[in-house]
Amino acid sequence: MVKVIKEKFVVIGKEGSTLDGEGFIQKLWDDANSHFSEVAHLAKKDANGGIVGIWGAMSDISRSFKPWEDGFSKGLYLAGVECVDNAEAPDGWIKWTIPSYEYIVVENHKGMFEETIGQMNEDGISLVGAVHDYTDPVTGKGYLYFPIREV
């Protein structure tokens, strides 16, 4: 487990809800990926011109970035790309500005969400916001970002 502080950042993507039914996250990614050219120019880039990050951002239903409700079974999901702060979402896309947090970051593989929540509970660490999926565009590796403190 690594702790990092990430200042507020913007994600523009395709938004859906657990109320949309089984498989809704994959449908959002299919939609976002097939229309990526519409937002590619807004993506935040690193020094080499590569995209900084692909995010599966999450929030409670009220869009206040609290954890998903009802045992992490009810919430909103935004399949998108990290963008420059002043970017405006094109038609059909949604812009979220994720607040600044200190996160526990773990590599994402099967069971890691439950394992990390369990470890946090054992260590007396509370989740203060919704967990986000992050994909590193350079390595293709996925990570989970667990917010533990607002900054």
Short mmCIF file of all heavy atoms in Angstrom, two decimals, residues 31-60:
data_model
loop_
_atom_site.label_atom_id
_atom_site.label_comp_id
_atom_site.label_asym_id
_atom_site.label_seq_id
_atom_site.Cartn_x
_atom_site.Cartn_y
_atom_site.Cartn_z
N ASP A 31 -18.68 2.97 -24.86
CA ASP A 31 -19.13 4.26 -25.40
C ASP A 31 -17.97 5.27 -25.38
O ASP A 31 -17.68 5.93 -26.39
CB ASP A 31 -20.31 4.76 -24.57
CG ASP A 31 -20.99 5.99 -25.17
OD1 ASP A 31 -20.69 6.35 -26.32
OD2 ASP A 31 -21.82 6.60 -24.46
N ALA A 32 -17.29 5.38 -24.23
CA ALA A 32 -16.18 6.34 -24.11
C ALA A 32 -15.06 6.02 -25.09
O ALA A 32 -14.55 6.92 -25.77
CB ALA A 32 -15.64 6.34 -22.67
N ASN A 33 -14.69 4.76 -25.18
CA ASN A 33 -13.58 4.38 -26.08
C ASN A 33 -13.93 4.60 -27.54
O ASN A 33 -13.08 5.04 -28.32
CB ASN A 33 -13.17 2.93 -25.84
CG ASN A 33 -12.49 2.74 -24.50
OD1 ASN A 33 -11.87 3.66 -23.97
ND2 ASN A 33 -12.59 1.54 -23.94
N SER A 34 -15.17 4.32 -27.91
CA SER A 34 -15.53 4.47 -29.33
C SER A 34 -15.71 5.92 -29.75
O SER A 34 -15.74 6.23 -30.93
CB SER A 34 -16.79 3.65 -29.65
OG SER A 34 -17.89 4.13 -28.93
N HIS A 35 -15.82 6.85 -28.78
CA HIS A 35 -15.95 8.27 -29.09
C HIS A 35 -14.79 9.09 -28.52
O HIS A 35 -14.90 10.31 -28.36
CB HIS A 35 -17.28 8.81 -28.54
CG HIS A 35 -18.48 8.20 -29.18
ND1 HIS A 35 -19.17 7.15 -28.63
CD2 HIS A 35 -19.08 8.48 -30.36
CE1 HIS A 35 -20.15 6.81 -29.44
NE2 HIS A 35 -20.13 7.60 -30.50
N PHE A 36 -13.68 8.42 -28.19
CA PHE A 36 -12.57 9.09 -27.52
C PHE A 36 -12.04 10.29 -28.30
O PHE A 36 -11.61 11.28 -27.72
CB PHE A 36 -11.42 8.11 -27.24
CG PHE A 36 -10.29 8.74 -26.48
CD1 PHE A 36 -10.44 9.07 -25.14
CD2 PHE A 36 -9.09 9.04 -27.12
CE1 PHE A 36 -9.41 9.68 -24.44
CE2 PHE A 36 -8.05 9.65 -26.43
CZ PHE A 36 -8.22 9.97 -25.09
N SER A 37 -12.11 10.24 -29.62
CA SER A 37 -11.59 11.34 -30.45
C SER A 37 -12.28 12.67 -30.11
O SER A 37 -11.70 13.74 -30.33
CB SER A 37 -11.75 11.03 -31.93
OG SER A 37 -13.13 10.89 -32.24
N GLU A 38 -13.49 12.62 -29.55
CA GLU A 38 -14.23 13.83 -29.20
C GLU A 38 -13.62 14.57 -28.01
O GLU A 38 -13.87 15.76 -27.82
CB GLU A 38 -15.69 13.50 -28.89
CG GLU A 38 -16.44 12.90 -30.07
CD GLU A 38 -17.80 12.33 -29.69
OE1 GLU A 38 -18.30 12.61 -28.57
OE2 GLU A 38 -18.37 11.59 -30.52
N VAL A 39 -12.83 13.86 -27.17
CA VAL A 39 -12.25 14.48 -25.97
C VAL A 39 -10.72 14.39 -25.93
O VAL A 39 -10.10 14.95 -25.03
CB VAL A 39 -12.83 13.86 -24.67
CG1 VAL A 39 -14.31 14.19 -24.53
CG2 VAL A 39 -12.57 12.38 -24.60
N ALA A 40 -10.13 13.71 -26.90
CA ALA A 40 -8.68 13.49 -26.88
C ALA A 40 -7.90 14.79 -26.75
O ALA A 40 -6.89 14.86 -26.03
CB ALA A 40 -8.24 12.72 -28.13
N HIS A 41 -8.36 15.84 -27.42
CA HIS A 41 -7.65 17.13 -27.38
C HIS A 41 -7.73 17.82 -26.02
O HIS A 41 -6.97 18.74 -25.74
CB HIS A 41 -8.20 18.06 -28.48
CG HIS A 41 -9.62 18.46 -28.27
ND1 HIS A 41 -10.68 17.57 -28.45
CD2 HIS A 41 -10.18 19.62 -27.88
CE1 HIS A 41 -11.81 18.18 -28.19
NE2 HIS A 41 -11.55 19.44 -27.84
N LEU A 42 -8.63 17.37 -25.14
CA LEU A 42 -8.80 17.95 -23.80
C LEU A 42 -7.96 17.22 -22.75
O LEU A 42 -7.80 17.70 -21.63
CB LEU A 42 -10.27 17.88 -23.38
CG LEU A 42 -11.27 18.60 -24.30
CD1 LEU A 42 -12.70 18.28 -23.87
CD2 LEU A 42 -11.02 20.10 -24.29
N ALA A 43 -7.46 16.05 -23.12
CA ALA A 43 -6.74 15.21 -22.16
C ALA A 43 -5.47 15.89 -21.66
O ALA A 43 -4.75 16.55 -22.41
CB ALA A 43 -6.38 13.87 -22.80
N LYS A 44 -5.23 15.75 -20.35
CA LYS A 44 -3.99 16.26 -19.75
C LYS A 44 -2.86 15.35 -20.22
O LYS A 44 -2.99 14.13 -20.23
CB LYS A 44 -4.11 16.25 -18.22
CG LYS A 44 -2.99 17.01 -17.53
CD LYS A 44 -3.18 17.00 -16.03
CE LYS A 44 -4.06 18.15 -15.59
NZ LYS A 44 -4.11 18.27 -14.12
N LYS A 45 -1.73 15.98 -20.61
CA LYS A 45 -0.60 15.22 -21.16
C LYS A 45 0.62 15.34 -20.25
O LYS A 45 0.79 16.34 -19.56
CB LYS A 45 -0.23 15.76 -22.55
CG LYS A 45 -1.36 15.86 -23.56
CD LYS A 45 -1.69 14.55 -24.18
CE LYS A 45 -2.54 14.58 -25.43
NZ LYS A 45 -3.63 15.50 -25.55
N ASP A 46 1.47 14.31 -20.29
CA ASP A 46 2.74 14.36 -19.55
C ASP A 46 3.80 15.03 -20.42
O ASP A 46 3.52 15.48 -21.54
CB ASP A 46 3.16 12.96 -19.08
CG ASP A 46 3.44 12.01 -20.24
OD1 ASP A 46 3.68 12.46 -21.39
OD2 ASP A 46 3.43 10.79 -19.99
N ALA A 47 5.03 15.11 -19.92
CA ALA A 47 6.12 15.79 -20.63
C ALA A 47 6.41 15.18 -21.99
O ALA A 47 6.89 15.85 -22.90
CB ALA A 47 7.38 15.78 -19.77
N ASN A 48 6.08 13.90 -22.16
CA ASN A 48 6.32 13.21 -23.44
C ASN A 48 5.12 13.28 -24.38
O ASN A 48 5.13 12.68 -25.44
CB ASN A 48 6.67 11.74 -23.19
CG ASN A 48 7.92 11.60 -22.35
OD1 ASN A 48 8.87 12.35 -22.51
ND2 ASN A 48 7.90 10.64 -21.44
N GLY A 49 4.07 14.01 -23.96
CA GLY A 49 2.89 14.14 -24.81
C GLY A 49 1.90 13.00 -24.64
O GLY A 49 0.92 12.92 -25.37
N GLY A 50 2.15 12.10 -23.67
CA GLY A 50 1.24 10.99 -23.43
C GLY A 50 0.12 11.40 -22.47
O GLY A 50 0.29 12.29 -21.65
N ILE A 51 -1.00 10.72 -22.59
CA ILE A 51 -2.14 10.96 -21.70
C ILE A 51 -1.75 10.60 -20.27
O ILE A 51 -1.13 9.57 -20.02
CB ILE A 51 -3.35 10.15 -22.18
CG1 ILE A 51 -3.85 10.71 -23.51
CG2 ILE A 51 -4.47 10.14 -21.14
CD1 ILE A 51 -4.88 9.85 -24.19
N VAL A 52 -2.11 11.46 -19.31
CA VAL A 52 -1.76 11.27 -17.91
C VAL A 52 -2.52 10.12 -17.27
O VAL A 52 -1.95 9.35 -16.50
CB VAL A 52 -2.01 12.58 -17.12
CG1 VAL A 52 -1.88 12.36 -15.63
CG2 VAL A 52 -1.05 13.66 -17.57
N GLY A 53 -3.81 10.00 -17.56
CA GLY A 53 -4.54 8.93 -16.89
C GLY A 53 -5.93 8.69 -17.41
O GLY A 53 -6.61 9.60 -17.88
N ILE A 54 -6.32 7.43 -17.30
CA ILE A 54 -7.66 6.98 -17.62
C ILE A 54 -8.32 6.64 -16.28
O ILE A 54 -7.75 5.88 -15.49
CB ILE A 54 -7.63 5.73 -18.53
CG1 ILE A 54 -6.79 5.97 -19.79
CG2 ILE A 54 -9.03 5.24 -18.85
CD1 ILE A 54 -7.34 7.01 -20.73
N TRP A 55 -9.49 7.19 -16.03
CA TRP A 55 -10.14 7.03 -14.72
C TRP A 55 -11.53 6.43 -14.83
O TRP A 55 -12.31 6.82 -15.69
CB TRP A 55 -10.26 8.38 -14.03
CG TRP A 55 -8.96 8.94 -13.59
CD1 TRP A 55 -8.12 9.75 -14.33
CD2 TRP A 55 -8.29 8.73 -12.34
NE1 TRP A 55 -7.00 10.04 -13.59
CE2 TRP A 55 -7.08 9.43 -12.37
CE3 TRP A 55 -8.63 8.01 -11.19
CZ2 TRP A 55 -6.19 9.44 -11.30
CZ3 TRP A 55 -7.75 8.01 -10.11
CH2 TRP A 55 -6.54 8.72 -10.18
N GLY A 56 -11.80 5.52 -13.95
CA GLY A 56 -13.15 5.07 -13.65
C GLY A 56 -13.49 5.75 -12.34
O GLY A 56 -13.24 5.20 -11.26
N ALA A 57 -13.95 7.00 -12.43
CA ALA A 57 -14.22 7.79 -11.23
C ALA A 57 -15.58 7.39 -10.67
O ALA A 57 -16.48 7.00 -11.41
CB ALA A 57 -14.19 9.27 -11.57
N MET A 58 -15.69 7.47 -9.35
CA MET A 58 -16.94 7.06 -8.71
C MET A 58 -17.41 8.12 -7.72
O MET A 58 -16.63 8.90 -7.21
CB MET A 58 -16.76 5.72 -8.02
CG MET A 58 -16.52 4.60 -9.03
SD MET A 58 -16.36 3.00 -8.27
CE MET A 58 -14.78 2.49 -8.94
N SER A 59 -18.72 8.10 -7.48
CA SER A 59 -19.35 9.01 -6.52
C SER A 59 -20.64 8.38 -6.03
O SER A 59 -21.21 7.51 -6.70
CB SER A 59 -19.66 10.35 -7.19
OG SER A 59 -20.36 11.20 -6.29
N ASP A 60 -21.09 8.86 -4.88
CA ASP A 60 -22.42 8.49 -4.44
C ASP A 60 -23.43 9.15 -5.40
O ASP A 60 -23.06 9.98 -6.23
CB ASP A 60 -22.65 8.92 -2.99
CG ASP A 60 -22.55 10.44 -2.81
OD1 ASP A 60 -21.80 11.10 -3.56
OD2 ASP A 60 -23.22 10.96 -1.91
#
